[in-house]
Amino acid sequence: MKVMIDICIVPLGVGVSVSEYVAACQKVFDEAGLSHQMHAYGTNVEGGWDEVMLAVKQCHEIVHEMGAPRITTSMRLGTRTDREQTMQDKVDSVQAKLS
Amino acid sequence: MKVMIDICIVPLGVGVSVSEYVAACQKVFDEAGLSHQMHAYGTNVEGGWDEVMLAVKQCHEIVHEMGAPRITTSMRLGTRTDREQTMQDKVDSVQAKLS
Amino acid sequence: MKVMIDICIVPLGVGVSVSEYVAACQKVFDEAGLSHQMHAYGTNVEGGWDEVMLAVKQCHEIVHEMGAPRITTSMRLGTRTDREQTMQDKVDSVQAKLS
Amino acid sequence: MKVMIDICIVPLGVGVSVSEYVAACQKVFDEAGLSHQMHAYGTNVEGGWDEVMLAVKQCHEIVHEMGAPRITTSMRLGTRTDREQTMQDKVDSVQAKLS
Protein backbone atom coordinates (compact mmCIF):
# COMPACT_ATOMS: atom_id res chain seq x y z
CA MET A 1 0.00 0.00 0.00
CA LYS A 2 1.39 3.36 -1.09
CA VAL A 3 0.73 6.46 0.98
CA MET A 4 1.11 10.17 0.49
CA ILE A 5 1.44 12.22 3.64
CA ASP A 6 1.62 15.86 4.53
CA ILE A 7 3.48 16.28 7.81
CA CYS A 8 4.19 19.20 10.11
CA ILE A 9 6.37 18.34 13.09
CA VAL A 10 6.27 20.81 15.98
CA PRO A 11 8.83 20.52 18.79
CA LEU A 12 7.76 22.03 22.13
CA GLY A 13 10.03 23.32 24.83
CA VAL A 14 12.75 24.55 22.48
CA GLY A 15 11.64 28.11 21.77
CA VAL A 16 9.92 29.54 18.72
CA SER A 17 12.40 28.68 15.99
CA VAL A 18 11.84 25.23 14.61
CA SER A 19 13.72 25.36 11.31
CA GLU A 20 16.68 23.26 12.43
CA TYR A 21 14.31 20.46 13.46
CA VAL A 22 12.47 20.65 10.16
CA ALA A 23 15.82 20.50 8.36
CA ALA A 24 16.78 17.39 10.30
CA CYS A 25 13.56 15.73 9.17
CA GLN A 26 14.25 16.62 5.54
CA LYS A 27 17.49 14.69 5.91
CA VAL A 28 15.60 11.71 7.30
CA PHE A 29 13.35 11.66 4.24
CA ASP A 30 16.36 12.06 1.96
CA GLU A 31 18.27 9.23 3.54
CA ALA A 32 15.18 7.02 3.37
CA GLY A 33 15.15 7.61 -0.39
CA LEU A 34 11.58 8.88 -0.21
CA SER A 35 10.19 11.43 -2.66
CA HIS A 36 9.43 14.56 -0.62
CA GLN A 37 8.65 18.22 -1.12
CA MET A 38 8.73 20.87 1.60
CA HIS A 39 6.29 23.79 1.61
CA ALA A 40 5.79 26.69 3.97
CA TYR A 41 3.68 24.74 6.47
CA GLY A 42 4.73 21.12 6.15
CA THR A 43 6.26 18.51 3.89
CA ASN A 44 4.70 16.09 1.38
CA VAL A 45 6.22 12.62 1.39
CA GLU A 46 5.20 9.62 -0.70
CA GLY A 47 6.22 5.97 -0.79
CA GLY A 48 5.33 2.59 0.63
CA TRP A 49 3.32 2.79 3.86
CA ASP A 50 5.94 1.06 6.03
CA GLU A 51 8.87 3.06 4.65
CA VAL A 52 7.07 6.39 5.09
CA MET A 53 5.89 5.57 8.60
CA LEU A 54 9.35 4.40 9.62
CA ALA A 55 10.72 7.77 8.47
CA VAL A 56 8.04 9.58 10.51
CA LYS A 57 9.11 7.61 13.58
CA GLN A 58 12.75 8.46 12.91
CA CYS A 59 11.81 12.14 12.69
CA HIS A 60 10.26 11.99 16.15
CA GLU A 61 13.29 10.12 17.49
CA ILE A 62 15.80 12.55 16.02
CA VAL A 63 13.90 15.65 17.14
CA HIS A 64 13.79 14.26 20.69
CA GLU A 65 17.53 13.51 20.48
CA MET A 66 18.15 17.10 19.39
CA GLY A 67 16.65 18.21 22.69
CA ALA A 68 12.91 18.62 22.27
CA PRO A 69 11.17 17.07 25.28
CA ARG A 70 7.78 17.11 23.58
CA ILE A 71 6.60 16.91 19.97
CA THR A 72 3.16 17.40 18.46
CA THR A 73 2.84 16.51 14.81
CA SER A 74 -0.08 17.08 12.49
CA MET A 75 -0.31 14.81 9.50
CA ARG A 76 -2.61 13.97 6.59
CA LEU A 77 -2.39 10.49 5.11
CA GLY A 78 -3.86 9.58 1.75
CA THR A 79 -4.20 6.10 0.30
CA ARG A 80 -6.13 4.91 -2.73
CA THR A 81 -6.78 1.58 -4.37
CA ASP A 82 -8.36 2.85 -7.58
CA ARG A 83 -5.19 4.12 -9.23
CA GLU A 84 -1.63 5.31 -8.78
CA GLN A 85 -1.26 9.05 -8.30
CA THR A 86 1.94 10.88 -7.53
CA MET A 87 2.31 14.23 -5.79
CA GLN A 88 2.88 15.86 -9.17
CA ASP A 89 -0.23 14.19 -10.62
CA LYS A 90 -2.33 15.76 -7.90
CA VAL A 91 -1.03 19.26 -8.59
CA ASP A 92 -1.35 18.75 -12.37
CA SER A 93 -4.93 17.61 -11.96
CA VAL A 94 -5.92 20.86 -10.27
CA GLN A 95 -3.86 22.99 -12.66
CA ALA A 96 -5.71 21.44 -15.59
CA LYS A 97 -9.00 22.59 -14.08
CA LEU A 98 -7.64 26.11 -13.66
CA SER A 99 -6.40 26.64 -17.19
CA MET B 1 8.47 5.36 22.52
CA LYS B 2 4.85 5.89 23.52
CA VAL B 3 2.55 7.96 21.34
CA MET B 4 -0.87 9.52 21.70
CA ILE B 5 -2.73 10.16 18.49
CA ASP B 6 -5.96 11.81 17.47
CA ILE B 7 -7.19 10.31 14.24
CA CYS B 8 -10.02 11.10 11.85
CA ILE B 9 -10.32 8.67 8.93
CA VAL B 10 -12.34 9.92 5.96
CA PRO B 11 -13.33 7.45 3.22
CA LEU B 12 -14.02 9.02 -0.19
CA GLY B 13 -16.23 7.62 -2.90
CA VAL B 14 -18.72 5.98 -0.53
CA GLY B 15 -21.25 8.74 0.04
CA VAL B 16 -21.67 11.05 2.99
CA SER B 17 -22.23 8.56 5.80
CA VAL B 18 -19.00 7.37 7.30
CA SER B 19 -20.12 5.92 10.63
CA GLU B 20 -19.78 2.27 9.63
CA TYR B 21 -16.15 2.90 8.65
CA VAL B 22 -15.45 4.68 11.91
CA ALA B 23 -17.05 1.77 13.77
CA ALA B 24 -14.80 -0.70 11.94
CA CYS B 25 -11.76 1.28 13.07
CA GLN B 26 -12.97 1.27 16.68
CA LYS B 27 -12.92 -2.53 16.46
CA VAL B 28 -9.37 -2.43 15.12
CA PHE B 29 -8.25 -0.42 18.14
CA ASP B 30 -10.18 -2.74 20.47
CA GLU B 31 -8.66 -5.87 19.03
CA ALA B 32 -5.20 -4.31 19.21
CA GLY B 33 -5.75 -3.86 22.94
CA LEU B 34 -5.05 -0.13 22.66
CA SER B 35 -6.58 2.44 24.97
CA HIS B 36 -8.87 4.59 22.83
CA GLN B 37 -11.65 7.13 23.17
CA MET B 38 -13.92 8.30 20.38
CA HIS B 39 -15.20 11.87 20.22
CA ALA B 40 -17.41 13.70 17.74
CA TYR B 41 -14.62 14.44 15.27
CA GLY B 42 -12.03 11.70 15.73
CA THR B 43 -10.58 9.16 18.12
CA ASN B 44 -7.78 9.38 20.68
CA VAL B 45 -5.53 6.32 20.83
CA GLU B 46 -2.47 5.75 22.99
CA GLY B 47 0.15 3.04 23.21
CA GLY B 48 3.54 2.04 21.90
CA TRP B 49 4.45 3.77 18.63
CA ASP B 50 4.66 0.58 16.57
CA GLU B 51 1.43 -0.89 17.94
CA VAL B 52 -0.53 2.32 17.35
CA MET B 53 0.84 2.80 13.85
CA LEU B 54 0.12 -0.82 12.94
CA ALA B 55 -3.49 -0.25 14.00
CA VAL B 56 -3.66 2.89 11.85
CA LYS B 57 -2.43 0.88 8.87
CA GLN B 58 -5.03 -1.83 9.58
CA CYS B 59 -7.73 0.87 9.65
CA HIS B 60 -6.76 2.00 6.17
CA GLU B 61 -6.64 -1.60 4.95
CA ILE B 62 -10.05 -2.51 6.38
CA VAL B 63 -11.74 0.67 5.11
CA HIS B 64 -10.41 -0.05 1.62
CA GLU B 65 -11.65 -3.66 1.93
CA MET B 66 -15.08 -2.33 2.92
CA GLY B 67 -15.21 -0.61 -0.45
CA ALA B 68 -13.70 2.85 -0.12
CA PRO B 69 -11.40 3.47 -3.10
CA ARG B 70 -9.77 6.48 -1.46
CA ILE B 71 -9.07 7.52 2.12
CA THR B 72 -7.80 10.78 3.54
CA THR B 73 -6.92 10.74 7.21
CA SER B 74 -6.00 13.63 9.46
CA MET B 75 -3.98 12.79 12.51
CA ARG B 76 -2.16 14.44 15.40
CA LEU B 77 0.72 12.55 17.01
CA GLY B 78 2.18 13.47 20.37
CA THR B 79 5.32 12.06 21.93
CA ARG B 80 7.28 13.22 24.96
CA THR B 81 10.43 12.16 26.69
CA ASP B 82 10.09 14.26 29.83
CA ARG B 83 7.37 12.23 31.50
CA GLU B 84 4.54 9.74 31.06
CA GLN B 85 1.15 11.29 30.49
CA THR B 86 -2.05 9.42 29.70
CA MET B 87 -5.08 10.76 27.84
CA GLN B 88 -6.86 11.16 31.18
CA ASP B 89 -3.87 13.05 32.63
CA LYS B 90 -4.13 15.59 29.81
CA VAL B 91 -7.81 16.24 30.43
CA ASP B 92 -7.29 16.38 34.21
CA SER B 93 -4.48 18.89 33.77
CA VAL B 94 -6.75 21.33 31.96
CA GLN B 95 -9.68 20.70 34.30
CA ALA B 96 -7.47 21.60 37.26
CA LYS B 97 -6.76 24.98 35.65
CA LEU B 98 -10.49 25.57 35.14
CA SER B 99 -11.65 24.89 38.68
CA MET C 1 -24.04 27.76 7.85
CA LYS C 2 -23.33 25.64 10.94
CA VAL C 3 -19.89 24.21 11.53
CA MET C 4 -18.39 21.61 13.80
CA ILE C 5 -14.69 21.96 14.48
CA ASP C 6 -12.04 20.00 16.29
CA ILE C 7 -9.29 22.32 17.41
CA CYS C 8 -5.88 21.84 19.02
CA ILE C 9 -4.08 25.10 19.84
CA VAL C 10 -0.34 24.78 20.41
CA PRO C 11 1.57 27.74 21.88
CA LEU C 12 5.30 27.81 21.08
CA GLY C 13 7.99 29.49 23.11
CA VAL C 14 6.35 28.89 26.48
CA GLY C 15 7.75 25.51 27.47
CA VAL C 16 6.15 22.10 27.35
CA SER C 17 3.10 22.62 29.54
CA VAL C 18 0.18 24.00 27.61
CA SER C 19 -2.75 23.24 29.92
CA GLU C 20 -3.25 26.81 31.12
CA TYR C 21 -3.58 27.99 27.52
CA VAL C 22 -6.05 25.23 26.72
CA ALA C 23 -8.03 26.20 29.82
CA ALA C 24 -8.15 29.83 28.67
CA CYS C 25 -9.59 28.70 25.35
CA GLN C 26 -12.25 26.62 27.10
CA LYS C 27 -13.34 29.84 28.79
CA VAL C 28 -13.52 31.60 25.42
CA PHE C 29 -15.87 28.90 24.10
CA ASP C 30 -17.92 29.05 27.31
CA GLU C 31 -18.30 32.80 27.19
CA ALA C 32 -19.26 32.62 23.52
CA GLY C 33 -22.10 30.32 24.50
CA LEU C 34 -20.86 27.65 22.11
CA SER C 35 -21.42 23.95 22.69
CA HIS C 36 -17.98 22.41 23.22
CA GLN C 37 -16.37 19.23 24.50
CA MET C 38 -12.70 18.83 25.35
CA HIS C 39 -10.88 15.54 24.77
CA ALA C 40 -7.29 14.47 25.33
CA TYR C 41 -5.96 15.96 22.09
CA GLY C 42 -8.28 18.84 21.22
CA THR C 43 -11.74 20.30 21.65
CA ASN C 44 -14.93 19.89 19.62
CA VAL C 45 -16.93 23.08 19.16
CA GLU C 46 -20.14 23.56 17.21
CA GLY C 47 -22.28 26.54 16.26
CA GLY C 48 -22.75 29.12 13.54
CA TRP C 49 -19.70 29.53 11.30
CA ASP C 50 -19.06 33.18 12.21
CA GLU C 51 -19.51 32.64 15.95
CA VAL C 52 -17.20 29.65 16.02
CA MET C 53 -14.53 31.36 13.92
CA LEU C 54 -14.69 34.49 16.06
CA ALA C 55 -14.04 32.32 19.10
CA VAL C 56 -11.07 30.69 17.37
CA LYS C 57 -9.65 34.15 16.68
CA GLN C 58 -10.18 35.14 20.30
CA CYS C 59 -8.33 32.00 21.40
CA HIS C 60 -5.30 33.03 19.34
CA GLU C 61 -5.51 36.59 20.69
CA ILE C 62 -5.76 35.51 24.32
CA VAL C 63 -2.96 32.93 24.04
CA HIS C 64 -0.69 35.61 22.55
CA GLU C 65 -1.71 38.00 25.36
CA MET C 66 -0.81 35.30 27.90
CA GLY C 67 2.73 35.42 26.54
CA ALA C 68 3.03 32.95 23.69
CA PRO C 69 4.94 34.61 20.83
CA ARG C 70 3.92 31.94 18.35
CA ILE C 71 0.93 29.64 17.96
CA THR C 72 0.32 26.73 15.62
CA THR C 73 -3.19 25.35 15.61
CA SER C 74 -4.50 22.25 13.90
CA MET C 75 -8.19 22.18 13.15
CA ARG C 76 -10.81 20.10 11.37
CA LEU C 77 -13.92 21.87 10.10
CA GLY C 78 -17.06 20.03 9.06
CA THR C 79 -20.08 21.53 7.32
CA ARG C 80 -23.03 19.82 5.71
CA THR C 81 -26.09 20.93 3.82
CA ASP C 82 -27.94 17.62 3.75
CA ARG C 83 -29.05 17.60 7.38
CA GLU C 84 -28.43 18.87 10.88
CA GLN C 85 -26.13 16.73 12.98
CA THR C 86 -24.87 17.54 16.45
CA MET C 87 -21.67 16.32 18.07
CA GLN C 88 -23.73 13.80 20.06
CA ASP C 89 -25.49 12.58 16.88
CA LYS C 90 -22.11 11.76 15.36
CA VAL C 91 -21.01 9.70 18.36
CA ASP C 92 -24.42 7.98 18.58
CA SER C 93 -24.27 7.08 14.91
CA VAL C 94 -21.01 5.17 15.37
CA GLN C 95 -22.13 3.59 18.65
CA ALA C 96 -25.23 2.22 16.90
CA LYS C 97 -22.97 0.44 14.40
CA LEU C 98 -20.90 -1.04 17.23
CA SER C 99 -23.75 -2.57 19.25
CA MET D 1 -3.21 39.85 13.25
CA LYS D 2 -1.68 38.06 10.26
CA VAL D 3 -2.15 34.34 9.79
CA MET D 4 -0.64 31.65 7.62
CA ILE D 5 -2.78 28.62 7.01
CA ASP D 6 -2.40 25.29 5.32
CA ILE D 7 -5.77 24.04 4.18
CA CYS D 8 -7.04 20.81 2.64
CA ILE D 9 -10.74 20.86 1.76
CA VAL D 10 -12.35 17.46 1.25
CA PRO D 11 -15.84 17.25 -0.27
CA LEU D 12 -17.80 14.10 0.59
CA GLY D 13 -20.58 12.54 -1.43
CA VAL D 14 -19.16 13.55 -4.81
CA GLY D 15 -16.94 10.59 -5.66
CA VAL D 16 -13.17 10.27 -5.46
CA SER D 17 -12.05 13.09 -7.72
CA VAL D 18 -11.79 16.37 -5.88
CA SER D 19 -9.62 18.44 -8.21
CA GLU D 20 -12.43 20.64 -9.56
CA TYR D 21 -13.35 21.62 -5.99
CA VAL D 22 -9.74 22.39 -5.16
CA ALA D 23 -9.51 24.49 -8.33
CA ALA D 24 -12.62 26.46 -7.31
CA CYS D 25 -10.97 27.25 -3.98
CA GLN D 26 -7.79 28.44 -5.72
CA LYS D 27 -9.99 30.97 -7.53
CA VAL D 28 -11.48 32.10 -4.22
CA PHE D 29 -8.01 32.81 -2.87
CA ASP D 30 -7.04 34.55 -6.11
CA GLU D 31 -10.08 36.78 -6.12
CA ALA D 32 -9.52 37.63 -2.47
CA GLY D 33 -6.06 38.90 -3.42
CA LEU D 34 -4.42 36.55 -0.93
CA SER D 35 -0.94 35.16 -1.39
CA HIS D 36 -1.35 31.40 -1.80
CA GLN D 37 0.61 28.36 -2.95
CA MET D 38 -0.87 24.96 -3.72
CA HIS D 39 1.03 21.75 -2.99
CA ALA D 40 0.14 18.09 -3.45
CA TYR D 41 -1.87 17.81 -0.23
CA GLY D 42 -3.22 21.28 0.50
CA THR D 43 -2.70 24.98 -0.03
CA ASN D 44 -0.77 27.61 1.93
CA VAL D 45 -2.52 30.96 2.26
CA GLU D 46 -1.35 34.05 4.14
CA GLY D 47 -2.89 37.40 4.93
CA GLY D 48 -4.91 39.20 7.55
CA TRP D 49 -6.86 36.85 9.84
CA ASP D 50 -10.31 38.12 8.81
CA GLU D 51 -9.54 38.11 5.08
CA VAL D 52 -8.13 34.60 5.16
CA MET D 53 -10.99 33.24 7.25
CA LEU D 54 -13.57 34.86 5.01
CA ALA D 55 -11.97 33.12 2.04
CA VAL D 56 -12.09 29.79 3.89
CA LYS D 57 -15.81 30.33 4.50
CA GLN D 58 -16.33 31.17 0.83
CA CYS D 59 -14.53 27.94 -0.12
CA HIS D 60 -17.00 25.92 1.96
CA GLU D 61 -19.92 27.85 0.50
CA ILE D 62 -18.80 27.41 -3.10
CA VAL D 63 -17.99 23.70 -2.68
CA HIS D 64 -21.47 23.13 -1.25
CA GLU D 65 -22.96 25.12 -4.16
CA MET D 66 -21.04 22.90 -6.57
CA GLY D 67 -22.96 19.96 -5.17
CA ALA D 68 -21.03 18.54 -2.22
CA PRO D 69 -23.48 17.84 0.62
CA ARG D 70 -20.72 17.45 3.18
CA ILE D 71 -17.22 18.89 3.58
CA THR D 72 -14.46 18.04 6.00
CA THR D 73 -11.49 20.36 5.99
CA SER D 74 -8.19 20.00 7.78
CA MET D 75 -6.29 23.18 8.45
CA ARG D 76 -3.19 24.45 10.25
CA LEU D 77 -3.19 28.06 11.41
CA GLY D 78 -0.03 29.88 12.44
CA THR D 79 0.17 33.29 14.08
CA ARG D 80 3.11 35.03 15.70
CA THR D 81 3.64 38.29 17.49
CA ASP D 82 7.43 38.23 17.63
CA ARG D 83 8.09 39.03 13.99
CA GLU D 84 6.74 39.04 10.46
CA GLN D 85 7.45 35.90 8.48
CA THR D 86 6.19 35.10 5.00
CA MET D 87 5.67 31.68 3.48
CA GLN D 88 8.92 32.12 1.55
CA ASP D 89 10.79 33.12 4.72
CA LYS D 90 9.77 29.85 6.32
CA VAL D 91 11.06 27.77 3.45
CA ASP D 92 14.27 29.83 3.21
CA SER D 93 14.89 29.36 6.91
CA VAL D 94 14.91 25.58 6.58
CA GLN D 95 16.91 25.65 3.34
CA ALA D 96 19.60 27.67 5.09
CA LYS D 97 19.94 24.91 7.68
CA LEU D 98 20.25 22.29 4.96
CA SER D 99 23.01 23.92 2.97
PDB file of all heavy atoms in Angstrom, chain C residues 2-16:
ATOM      1  N   LYS C   2     -23.846  26.168   9.674  1.00  0.00           N
ATOM      2  CA  LYS C   2     -23.325  25.644  10.937  1.00  0.00           C
ATOM      3  C   LYS C   2     -21.995  24.945  10.676  1.00  0.00           C
ATOM      4  O   LYS C   2     -21.772  24.407   9.571  1.00  0.00           O
ATOM      5  CB  LYS C   2     -24.300  24.623  11.520  1.00  0.00           C
ATOM      6  CG  LYS C   2     -25.716  25.126  11.737  1.00  0.00           C
ATOM      7  CD  LYS C   2     -25.939  25.581  13.162  1.00  0.00           C
ATOM      8  CE  LYS C   2     -26.172  24.401  14.043  1.00  0.00           C
ATOM      9  NZ  LYS C   2     -26.496  24.832  15.436  1.00  0.00           N
ATOM     10  N   VAL C   3     -21.165  24.911  11.677  1.00  0.00           N
ATOM     11  CA  VAL C   3     -19.888  24.214  11.526  1.00  0.00           C
ATOM     12  C   VAL C   3     -19.579  23.450  12.806  1.00  0.00           C
ATOM     13  O   VAL C   3     -19.964  23.887  13.904  1.00  0.00           O
ATOM     14  CB  VAL C   3     -18.740  25.208  11.182  1.00  0.00           C
ATOM     15  CG1 VAL C   3     -18.438  26.125  12.359  1.00  0.00           C
ATOM     16  CG2 VAL C   3     -17.477  24.493  10.741  1.00  0.00           C
ATOM     17  N   MET C   4     -18.944  22.313  12.653  1.00  0.00           N
ATOM     18  CA  MET C   4     -18.389  21.609  13.797  1.00  0.00           C
ATOM     19  C   MET C   4     -16.882  21.576  13.602  1.00  0.00           C
ATOM     20  O   MET C   4     -16.416  21.197  12.524  1.00  0.00           O
ATOM     21  CB  MET C   4     -18.920  20.186  13.869  1.00  0.00           C
ATOM     22  CG  MET C   4     -18.449  19.453  15.114  1.00  0.00           C
ATOM     23  SD  MET C   4     -18.981  17.717  15.090  1.00  0.00           S
ATOM     24  CE  MET C   4     -20.744  17.925  14.902  1.00  0.00           C
ATOM     25  N   ILE C   5     -16.147  21.989  14.611  1.00  0.00           N
ATOM     26  CA  ILE C   5     -14.693  21.958  14.475  1.00  0.00           C
ATOM     27  C   ILE C   5     -14.082  21.061  15.549  1.00  0.00           C
ATOM     28  O   ILE C   5     -14.699  20.775  16.574  1.00  0.00           O
ATOM     29  CB  ILE C   5     -14.046  23.365  14.577  1.00  0.00           C
ATOM     30  CG1 ILE C   5     -14.193  23.959  15.988  1.00  0.00           C
ATOM     31  CG2 ILE C   5     -14.594  24.305  13.525  1.00  0.00           C
ATOM     32  CD1 ILE C   5     -13.332  25.193  16.226  1.00  0.00           C
ATOM     33  N   ASP C   6     -12.883  20.621  15.271  1.00  0.00           N
ATOM     34  CA  ASP C   6     -12.043  20.000  16.290  1.00  0.00           C
ATOM     35  C   ASP C   6     -10.752  20.787  16.271  1.00  0.00           C
ATOM     36  O   ASP C   6     -10.086  20.868  15.231  1.00  0.00           O
ATOM     37  CB  ASP C   6     -11.773  18.528  15.979  1.00  0.00           C
ATOM     38  CG  ASP C   6     -10.934  17.903  17.068  1.00  0.00           C
ATOM     39  OD1 ASP C   6     -11.469  17.723  18.174  1.00  0.00           O
ATOM     40  OD2 ASP C   6      -9.747  17.623  16.841  1.00  0.00           O
ATOM     41  N   ILE C   7     -10.405  21.387  17.391  1.00  0.00           N
ATOM     42  CA  ILE C   7      -9.286  22.323  17.405  1.00  0.00           C
ATOM     43  C   ILE C   7      -8.268  21.972  18.479  1.00  0.00           C
ATOM     44  O   ILE C   7      -8.615  21.601  19.594  1.00  0.00           O
ATOM     45  CB  ILE C   7      -9.800  23.772  17.606  1.00  0.00           C
ATOM     46  CG1 ILE C   7      -8.669  24.783  17.503  1.00  0.00           C
ATOM     47  CG2 ILE C   7     -10.555  23.919  18.915  1.00  0.00           C
ATOM     48  CD1 ILE C   7      -9.140  26.216  17.354  1.00  0.00           C
ATOM     49  N   CYS C   8      -6.992  22.077  18.088  1.00  0.00           N
ATOM     50  CA  CYS C   8      -5.881  21.842  19.017  1.00  0.00           C
ATOM     51  C   CYS C   8      -4.919  23.018  18.860  1.00  0.00           C
ATOM     52  O   CYS C   8      -4.268  23.151  17.819  1.00  0.00           O
ATOM     53  CB  CYS C   8      -5.195  20.523  18.667  1.00  0.00           C
ATOM     54  SG  CYS C   8      -3.743  20.175  19.651  1.00  0.00           S
ATOM     55  N   ILE C   9      -4.886  23.871  19.874  1.00  0.00           N
ATOM     56  CA  ILE C   9      -4.085  25.096  19.835  1.00  0.00           C
ATOM     57  C   ILE C   9      -2.756  24.847  20.546  1.00  0.00           C
ATOM     58  O   ILE C   9      -2.754  24.441  21.705  1.00  0.00           O
ATOM     59  CB  ILE C   9      -4.856  26.245  20.523  1.00  0.00           C
ATOM     60  CG1 ILE C   9      -6.109  26.571  19.709  1.00  0.00           C
ATOM     61  CG2 ILE C   9      -3.971  27.472  20.695  1.00  0.00           C
ATOM     62  CD1 ILE C   9      -7.035  27.576  20.363  1.00  0.00           C
ATOM     63  N   VAL C  10      -1.661  25.077  19.857  1.00  0.00           N
ATOM     64  CA  VAL C  10      -0.342  24.776  20.413  1.00  0.00           C
ATOM     65  C   VAL C  10       0.495  26.049  20.505  1.00  0.00           C
ATOM     66  O   VAL C  10       0.970  26.563  19.493  1.00  0.00           O
ATOM     67  CB  VAL C  10       0.391  23.738  19.545  1.00  0.00           C
ATOM     68  CG1 VAL C  10       1.769  23.440  20.117  1.00  0.00           C
ATOM     69  CG2 VAL C  10      -0.423  22.455  19.421  1.00  0.00           C
ATOM     70  N   PRO C  11       0.692  26.574  21.722  1.00  0.00           N
ATOM     71  CA  PRO C  11       1.565  27.740  21.883  1.00  0.00           C
ATOM     72  C   PRO C  11       3.034  27.322  21.838  1.00  0.00           C
ATOM     73  O   PRO C  11       3.399  26.311  22.430  1.00  0.00           O
ATOM     74  CB  PRO C  11       1.197  28.269  23.271  1.00  0.00           C
ATOM     75  CG  PRO C  11       0.629  27.096  24.011  1.00  0.00           C
ATOM     76  CD  PRO C  11       0.093  26.128  22.988  1.00  0.00           C
ATOM     77  N   LEU C  12       3.850  28.086  21.140  1.00  0.00           N
ATOM     78  CA  LEU C  12       5.297  27.814  21.079  1.00  0.00           C
ATOM     79  C   LEU C  12       6.042  28.899  21.857  1.00  0.00           C
ATOM     80  O   LEU C  12       5.586  30.045  21.931  1.00  0.00           O
ATOM     81  CB  LEU C  12       5.776  27.818  19.635  1.00  0.00           C
ATOM     82  CG  LEU C  12       5.160  26.770  18.711  1.00  0.00           C
ATOM     83  CD1 LEU C  12       5.813  26.854  17.322  1.00  0.00           C
ATOM     84  CD2 LEU C  12       5.341  25.377  19.278  1.00  0.00           C
ATOM     85  N   GLY C  13       7.176  28.511  22.397  1.00  0.00           N
ATOM     86  CA  GLY C  13       7.994  29.494  23.107  1.00  0.00           C
ATOM     87  C   GLY C  13       7.589  29.697  24.548  1.00  0.00           C
ATOM     88  O   GLY C  13       7.990  30.667  25.194  1.00  0.00           O
ATOM     89  N   VAL C  14       6.782  28.774  25.080  1.00  0.00           N
ATOM     90  CA  VAL C  14       6.348  28.892  26.479  1.00  0.00           C
ATOM     91  C   VAL C  14       6.560  27.591  27.244  1.00  0.00           C
ATOM     92  O   VAL C  14       5.879  27.338  28.242  1.00  0.00           O
ATOM     93  CB  VAL C  14       4.853  29.291  26.563  1.00  0.00           C
ATOM     94  CG1 VAL C  14       4.670  30.713  26.057  1.00  0.00           C
ATOM     95  CG2 VAL C  14       3.964  28.326  25.806  1.00  0.00           C
ATOM     96  N   GLY C  15       7.484  26.762  26.775  1.00  0.00           N
ATOM     97  CA  GLY C  15       7.749  25.511  27.469  1.00  0.00           C
ATOM     98  C   GLY C  15       6.830  24.389  27.039  1.00  0.00           C
ATOM     99  O   GLY C  15       6.112  24.521  26.047  1.00  0.00           O
ATOM    100  N   VAL C  16       6.872  23.289  27.791  1.00  0.00           N
ATOM    101  CA  VAL C  16       6.151  22.096  27.348  1.00  0.00           C
ATOM    102  C   VAL C  16       4.737  21.982  27.913  1.00  0.00           C
ATOM    103  O   VAL C  16       3.933  21.200  27.422  1.00  0.00           O
ATOM    104  CB  VAL C  16       6.907  20.794  27.722  1.00  0.00           C
ATOM    105  CG1 VAL C  16       8.210  20.719  26.955  1.00  0.00           C
ATOM    106  CG2 VAL C  16       7.144  20.696  29.218  1.00  0.00           C
TER     107      VAL C  16
END
